[in-house]
Amino acid sequence: MIKYLSFILLLASIHAHATPIRIASDIWCPYVCENQKGYIVELTQRAFEIQNQKVEFITIPYKRALVELQRNNIDAVLALTPSAIANNNLVSANVVLGYNTNDFYTLVDSQESFSYISDLNFTQQAAVVTGYDYGVELDAWLNAHTNSYFASGSDPLAMNIIRLVKGRHSVIIDNKNVIEYTASQLNLSQQLRYAGTIGKPVPLYVGFSQQNQANAIILANGIALLKDNGEYQSIMNKYKLLPKISYDKSRYKHLHKYLPVLN
């Protein structure tokens, strides 16, 4: 088995040096940030670079990334849950690069709290990002309630936060780290309130198409190498969660184009 895997890696390596691996994701900072930053981006990039494999990152909406992966226009998508891997018939090589939670945020003066799906029955409107996987129960609830809002576009979470501040929603659902990071870049952190978490943390993977199983093995090998030489922990230490998020010039400039809708 070891000889077989080594042979696959050797063949993949010969081809890989000439062709960059194309990896896509939407912005989901601090996991996946602009300008090829974010700890999952850096871990993935270094895992391939340490084996002399070039990587090309593409920022596109999450739902479109999955479509492009099915069409073989890209090779992998970052930060996918197990159900997203299974539903899209992808390969992950069982390399966990983080965990996701369904965290709930309201306006600061709200008294709502969320611990169970049934708690949502008493809220006015819940907002999420279209195409994301929120788990079987929560997905079923959102799809069964016609007033659920599914944001799309280049920065849907930012729009959900702004719409929450404007009173369009009563609660938004996403990962706590991502909500707090994005809100800080919009200067809206003081207007938001953490209102609970439903469900258990879910592992996140890099999802490869079936045609890229060899690259999935290369990623797994690279992550093991990074753990051995200490780079893995160094990158994780740099992205403390929640990270120090005082000011990110590029992120701030990108998000502030949305702020006029608040006026």
Side-chain angles (χ1 to χ4, degrees):
M1 186 65 177
I2 294 175
K3 289 182 179 179
Y4 174 73
L5 290 179
S6 298
F7 179 67
I8 290 224
L9 287 173
L10 177 60
L11 289 179
S13 178
I14 293 172
H15 174 72
H17 291 171
T19 307
I21 296 177
R22 299 157 300 171
I23 302 178
S25 176
D26 59 356
I27 298 299
W28 205 51
C29 208
Y31 298 87
V32 182
C33 307
E34 293 180 319
N35 301 321
Q36 299 187 14
K37 299 297 182 182
Y39 87 80
I40 290 182
V41 173
E42 290 203 29
L43 285 175
T44 302
Q45 187 169 26
R46 284 298 300 141
F48 283 111
E49 285 180 346
I50 201 172
Q51 299 171 93
N52 298 317
Q53 169 63 63
K54 294 181 180 180
V55 178
E56 177 184 343
F57 285 102
I58 306 166
T59 301
I60 56 177
Y62 174 81
K63 197 169 184 179
R64 181 185 160 196
L66 291 175
V67 171
E68 295 300 326
L69 185 59
Q70 296 292 350
R71 293 174 176 171
N72 293 318
N73 291 329
I74 57 175
D75 302 310
V77 176
L78 297 178
L80 297 184
T81 61
S83 58
I85 296 288
N87 292 341
N88 292 279
N89 193 30
L90 304 178
V91 178
S92 70
N94 292 321
V95 179
V96 177
L97 293 180
Y99 289 87
N100 184 39
T101 50
N102 290 326
D103 301 307
F104 293 68
Y105 276 73
T106 67
L107 291 177
V108 70
D109 57 356
S110 171
Q111 299 299 313
E112 290 186 295
S113 62
F114 302 89
S115 299
Y116 306 97
I117 298 292
S118 57
D119 293 334
L120 280 163
N121 295 332
F122 305 99
T123 197
Q124 179 184 354
Q125 185 185 66
V128 294
V129 175
T130 187
Y132 277 20
D133 173 24
Y134 294 93
V136 175
E137 290 186 69
L138 184 50
D139 280 343
W141 189 96
L142 292 167
N143 291 319
H145 290 74
T146 56
N147 68 331
S148 298
Y149 183 78
F150 294 86
S152 59
S154 62
D155 217 317
L157 176 58
M159 293 308 299
N160 275 349
I161 291 174
I162 291 171
R163 288 173 63 90
L164 177 66
V165 171
K166 292 184 69 175
R168 303 285 181 84
H169 317 302
S170 51
V171 61
I172 58 175
I173 308 168
D174 210 295
N175 178 276
K176 183 176 184 178
N177 297 311
V178 184
I179 290 177
E180 296 202 6
Y181 180 90
T182 305
S184 74
Q185 297 297 289
L186 287 165
N187 292 332
L188 296 176
S189 296
Q190 299 304 313
Q191 299 191 49
L192 269 59
R193 161 186 167 269
Y194 169 68
T197 298
I198 292 181
K200 297 180 180 179
V202 176
L204 296 172
Y205 302 91
V206 178
F208 294 85
S209 63
Q210 290 291 335
Q211 292 81 356
N212 278 276
Q213 293 190 40
N215 285 330
I217 296 173
I218 293 173
L219 174 67
N221 186 58
I223 292 296
L225 291 173
L226 294 179
K227 288 182 177 180
D228 287 342
N229 70 12
E231 280 192 69
Y232 186 99
Q233 192 58 50
S234 177
I235 291 172
M236 293 299 291
N237 290 343
K238 186 167 84 172
Y239 289 93
K240 296 185 178 78
L241 299 183
L242 292 169
K244 187 176 181 180
I245 49 179
S246 57
Y247 183 67
D248 181 325
K249 187 175 181 180
S250 62
R251 180 66 171 157
Y252 182 89
K253 182 178 180 181
H254 173 76
L255 289 179
H256 273 242
K257 67 183 180 183
Y258 297 115
L259 287 180
V261 302
L262 282 171
N263 297 329

